[in-house]
Short mmCIF file of all heavy atoms in Angstrom, two decimals:
data_model
loop_
_atom_site.label_atom_id
_atom_site.label_comp_id
_atom_site.label_asym_id
_atom_site.label_seq_id
_atom_site.Cartn_x
_atom_site.Cartn_y
_atom_site.Cartn_z
N SER A 1 0.81 -1.19 0.00
CA SER A 1 0.07 0.00 0.00
C SER A 1 0.85 1.30 0.02
O SER A 1 0.33 2.32 -0.29
CB SER A 1 -0.96 -0.07 1.23
OG SER A 1 -1.93 -0.97 1.14
N GLY A 2 2.12 1.13 0.36
CA GLY A 2 3.00 2.28 0.35
C GLY A 2 3.44 2.73 -1.07
O GLY A 2 3.92 3.82 -1.31
N GLY A 3 3.15 1.84 -2.00
CA GLY A 3 3.41 2.20 -3.49
C GLY A 3 4.81 1.99 -4.00
O GLY A 3 5.12 2.34 -5.15
N GLU A 4 5.79 1.49 -3.09
CA GLU A 4 7.18 1.43 -3.55
C GLU A 4 7.69 0.01 -3.64
O GLU A 4 8.87 -0.16 -3.90
CB GLU A 4 8.03 2.26 -2.52
CG GLU A 4 7.65 3.64 -2.29
CD GLU A 4 7.87 4.45 -3.58
OE1 GLU A 4 8.62 4.23 -4.42
OE2 GLU A 4 7.09 5.51 -3.74
N SER A 5 6.77 -0.94 -3.56
CA SER A 5 7.27 -2.39 -3.46
C SER A 5 7.56 -2.96 -4.84
O SER A 5 8.15 -4.01 -4.94
CB SER A 5 6.22 -3.21 -2.74
OG SER A 5 5.08 -3.29 -3.47
N GLY A 6 7.01 -2.43 -5.81
CA GLY A 6 7.01 -2.99 -7.19
C GLY A 6 5.83 -3.89 -7.48
O GLY A 6 5.58 -4.32 -8.65
N HIS A 7 5.19 -4.29 -6.32
CA HIS A 7 4.01 -5.18 -6.52
C HIS A 7 2.83 -4.46 -7.06
O HIS A 7 2.60 -3.22 -6.93
CB HIS A 7 3.59 -5.80 -5.20
CG HIS A 7 4.54 -6.93 -4.81
ND1 HIS A 7 4.54 -8.11 -5.39
CD2 HIS A 7 5.33 -7.08 -3.67
CE1 HIS A 7 5.42 -8.88 -4.68
NE2 HIS A 7 5.91 -8.26 -3.73
N ALA A 8 1.96 -5.24 -7.74
CA ALA A 8 0.63 -4.72 -8.05
C ALA A 8 -0.35 -5.61 -7.29
O ALA A 8 -0.09 -6.81 -6.99
CB ALA A 8 0.29 -4.91 -9.54
N GLU A 9 -1.44 -5.02 -6.81
CA GLU A 9 -2.49 -5.88 -6.22
C GLU A 9 -3.04 -6.78 -7.40
O GLU A 9 -3.53 -6.20 -8.39
CB GLU A 9 -3.63 -5.00 -5.65
CG GLU A 9 -3.22 -4.36 -4.37
CD GLU A 9 -4.44 -3.79 -3.66
OE1 GLU A 9 -5.56 -4.14 -3.92
OE2 GLU A 9 -4.16 -3.08 -2.61
N SER A 10 -2.95 -7.99 -7.27
CA SER A 10 -3.20 -8.88 -8.38
C SER A 10 -4.17 -9.97 -7.98
O SER A 10 -4.56 -10.13 -6.84
CB SER A 10 -1.84 -9.57 -8.89
OG SER A 10 -1.27 -10.31 -7.87
N VAL A 11 -4.66 -10.71 -9.02
CA VAL A 11 -5.67 -11.78 -8.77
C VAL A 11 -5.22 -13.00 -9.59
O VAL A 11 -4.96 -12.91 -10.80
CB VAL A 11 -7.05 -11.33 -9.23
CG1 VAL A 11 -8.09 -12.46 -9.10
CG2 VAL A 11 -7.53 -10.05 -8.38
N GLN A 12 -5.11 -14.10 -8.82
CA GLN A 12 -4.82 -15.37 -9.49
C GLN A 12 -6.07 -16.12 -9.83
O GLN A 12 -6.85 -16.40 -8.95
CB GLN A 12 -3.94 -16.20 -8.58
CG GLN A 12 -3.47 -17.55 -9.26
CD GLN A 12 -2.75 -18.39 -8.17
OE1 GLN A 12 -3.34 -18.83 -7.19
NE2 GLN A 12 -1.41 -18.57 -8.33
N VAL A 13 -6.31 -16.39 -11.15
CA VAL A 13 -7.63 -16.98 -11.50
C VAL A 13 -7.27 -18.33 -12.07
O VAL A 13 -6.47 -18.59 -13.06
CB VAL A 13 -8.26 -16.20 -12.57
CG1 VAL A 13 -9.55 -16.86 -13.04
CG2 VAL A 13 -8.60 -14.73 -12.02
N THR A 14 -7.84 -19.42 -11.43
CA THR A 14 -7.78 -20.80 -11.97
C THR A 14 -9.12 -21.09 -12.71
O THR A 14 -10.16 -20.81 -12.19
CB THR A 14 -7.52 -21.78 -10.86
OG1 THR A 14 -6.32 -21.38 -10.15
CG2 THR A 14 -7.34 -23.16 -11.35
N PHE A 15 -8.99 -21.62 -13.86
CA PHE A 15 -10.15 -21.79 -14.71
C PHE A 15 -10.08 -23.03 -15.55
O PHE A 15 -9.00 -23.60 -15.72
CB PHE A 15 -10.38 -20.59 -15.54
CG PHE A 15 -9.32 -20.30 -16.60
CD1 PHE A 15 -9.39 -20.68 -18.00
CD2 PHE A 15 -8.12 -19.64 -16.26
CE1 PHE A 15 -8.40 -20.45 -18.81
CE2 PHE A 15 -7.16 -19.40 -17.10
CZ PHE A 15 -7.25 -19.74 -18.48
N ASP A 16 -11.16 -23.52 -16.03
CA ASP A 16 -11.31 -24.62 -16.87
C ASP A 16 -11.37 -24.17 -18.24
O ASP A 16 -12.43 -23.64 -18.72
CB ASP A 16 -12.54 -25.50 -16.57
CG ASP A 16 -12.76 -26.74 -17.37
OD1 ASP A 16 -12.10 -26.84 -18.49
OD2 ASP A 16 -13.59 -27.54 -16.99
N PRO A 17 -10.30 -24.31 -19.05
CA PRO A 17 -10.19 -23.78 -20.46
C PRO A 17 -11.15 -24.43 -21.43
O PRO A 17 -11.37 -23.99 -22.53
CB PRO A 17 -8.77 -23.86 -20.86
CG PRO A 17 -8.22 -24.97 -19.96
CD PRO A 17 -8.99 -24.94 -18.74
N THR A 18 -11.79 -25.55 -21.01
CA THR A 18 -12.79 -26.14 -21.87
C THR A 18 -14.11 -25.42 -21.72
O THR A 18 -15.05 -25.64 -22.52
CB THR A 18 -12.98 -27.66 -21.63
OG1 THR A 18 -13.55 -27.87 -20.28
CG2 THR A 18 -11.64 -28.37 -21.66
N GLN A 19 -14.27 -24.60 -20.66
CA GLN A 19 -15.48 -23.96 -20.39
C GLN A 19 -15.36 -22.35 -20.68
O GLN A 19 -16.29 -21.77 -21.15
CB GLN A 19 -15.95 -24.12 -18.99
CG GLN A 19 -16.31 -25.54 -18.57
CD GLN A 19 -16.81 -25.66 -17.24
OE1 GLN A 19 -17.61 -24.80 -16.75
NE2 GLN A 19 -16.33 -26.66 -16.50
N VAL A 20 -14.20 -21.84 -20.35
CA VAL A 20 -13.99 -20.44 -20.58
C VAL A 20 -12.47 -20.29 -20.96
O VAL A 20 -11.63 -20.85 -20.31
CB VAL A 20 -14.31 -19.60 -19.27
CG1 VAL A 20 -13.45 -20.00 -18.07
CG2 VAL A 20 -14.18 -18.14 -19.57
N THR A 21 -12.21 -19.50 -21.99
CA THR A 21 -10.83 -19.38 -22.44
C THR A 21 -10.12 -18.29 -21.77
O THR A 21 -10.76 -17.33 -21.27
CB THR A 21 -10.85 -19.23 -23.98
OG1 THR A 21 -11.34 -17.96 -24.33
CG2 THR A 21 -11.59 -20.32 -24.68
N TYR A 22 -8.83 -18.25 -22.00
CA TYR A 22 -8.01 -17.07 -21.54
C TYR A 22 -8.50 -15.82 -22.23
O TYR A 22 -8.57 -14.75 -21.63
CB TYR A 22 -6.52 -17.34 -21.81
CG TYR A 22 -5.61 -16.31 -21.38
CD1 TYR A 22 -5.49 -15.88 -20.04
CD2 TYR A 22 -4.79 -15.57 -22.29
CE1 TYR A 22 -4.65 -14.90 -19.55
CE2 TYR A 22 -3.91 -14.56 -21.90
CZ TYR A 22 -3.86 -14.26 -20.55
OH TYR A 22 -3.09 -13.22 -20.06
N GLY A 23 -8.85 -15.94 -23.50
CA GLY A 23 -9.32 -14.80 -24.23
C GLY A 23 -10.57 -14.27 -23.71
O GLY A 23 -10.84 -13.05 -23.56
N ASP A 24 -11.48 -15.17 -23.28
CA ASP A 24 -12.74 -14.80 -22.64
C ASP A 24 -12.47 -13.92 -21.39
O ASP A 24 -13.15 -12.92 -21.14
CB ASP A 24 -13.63 -16.00 -22.28
CG ASP A 24 -14.12 -16.71 -23.45
OD1 ASP A 24 -14.30 -16.11 -24.54
OD2 ASP A 24 -14.37 -17.97 -23.35
N LEU A 25 -11.48 -14.50 -20.56
CA LEU A 25 -11.19 -13.77 -19.33
C LEU A 25 -10.59 -12.44 -19.55
O LEU A 25 -10.87 -11.44 -18.86
CB LEU A 25 -10.26 -14.65 -18.51
CG LEU A 25 -10.78 -16.01 -18.07
CD1 LEU A 25 -9.66 -16.70 -17.19
CD2 LEU A 25 -12.06 -15.84 -17.20
N LEU A 26 -9.78 -12.29 -20.64
CA LEU A 26 -9.19 -11.02 -20.98
C LEU A 26 -10.34 -10.06 -21.37
O LEU A 26 -10.28 -8.79 -21.12
CB LEU A 26 -8.19 -11.20 -22.14
CG LEU A 26 -6.83 -11.74 -21.84
CD1 LEU A 26 -6.05 -11.93 -23.11
CD2 LEU A 26 -6.07 -10.90 -20.81
N GLN A 27 -11.34 -10.58 -22.16
CA GLN A 27 -12.41 -9.65 -22.53
C GLN A 27 -13.16 -9.08 -21.32
O GLN A 27 -13.52 -7.96 -21.19
CB GLN A 27 -13.33 -10.41 -23.51
CG GLN A 27 -14.39 -9.42 -24.16
CD GLN A 27 -15.27 -10.20 -25.14
OE1 GLN A 27 -15.26 -11.42 -25.26
NE2 GLN A 27 -16.02 -9.42 -25.94
N VAL A 28 -13.45 -9.98 -20.34
CA VAL A 28 -14.06 -9.53 -19.10
C VAL A 28 -13.12 -8.53 -18.35
O VAL A 28 -13.66 -7.48 -17.80
CB VAL A 28 -14.41 -10.75 -18.21
CG1 VAL A 28 -14.86 -10.34 -16.85
CG2 VAL A 28 -15.49 -11.65 -18.86
N PHE A 29 -11.90 -8.86 -18.27
CA PHE A 29 -11.00 -7.96 -17.58
C PHE A 29 -10.90 -6.63 -18.18
O PHE A 29 -11.00 -5.59 -17.43
CB PHE A 29 -9.53 -8.64 -17.70
CG PHE A 29 -8.41 -7.78 -17.17
CD1 PHE A 29 -8.31 -7.59 -15.76
CD2 PHE A 29 -7.48 -7.29 -18.01
CE1 PHE A 29 -7.23 -6.87 -15.32
CE2 PHE A 29 -6.36 -6.62 -17.46
CZ PHE A 29 -6.25 -6.31 -16.19
N PHE A 30 -10.82 -6.44 -19.54
CA PHE A 30 -10.68 -5.10 -20.12
C PHE A 30 -12.05 -4.43 -20.15
O PHE A 30 -12.09 -3.21 -19.99
CB PHE A 30 -10.24 -5.27 -21.51
CG PHE A 30 -8.72 -5.57 -21.63
CD1 PHE A 30 -8.26 -6.70 -22.17
CD2 PHE A 30 -7.87 -4.70 -21.04
CE1 PHE A 30 -6.86 -6.96 -22.35
CE2 PHE A 30 -6.45 -4.93 -21.16
CZ PHE A 30 -5.98 -6.08 -21.79
#
């Protein structure tokens, strides 16, 4: 939270690519 760590607050998403693709997730993300 100090802003100097180099980290971004991130989210790790585990998914079934036979149901939703990485491209699908990118579309939701953007």
Side-chain angles (χ1 to χ4, degrees):
S1 294
E4 304 297 330
S5 68
H7 282 293
E9 288 197 11
S10 59
V11 175
Q12 183 188 65
V13 178
T14 304
F15 62 101
D16 182 345
T18 67
Q19 297 184 41
V20 62
T21 68
Y22 181 61
D24 291 333
L25 296 180
L26 285 177
Q27 189 177 13
V28 170
F29 174 69
F30 286 121

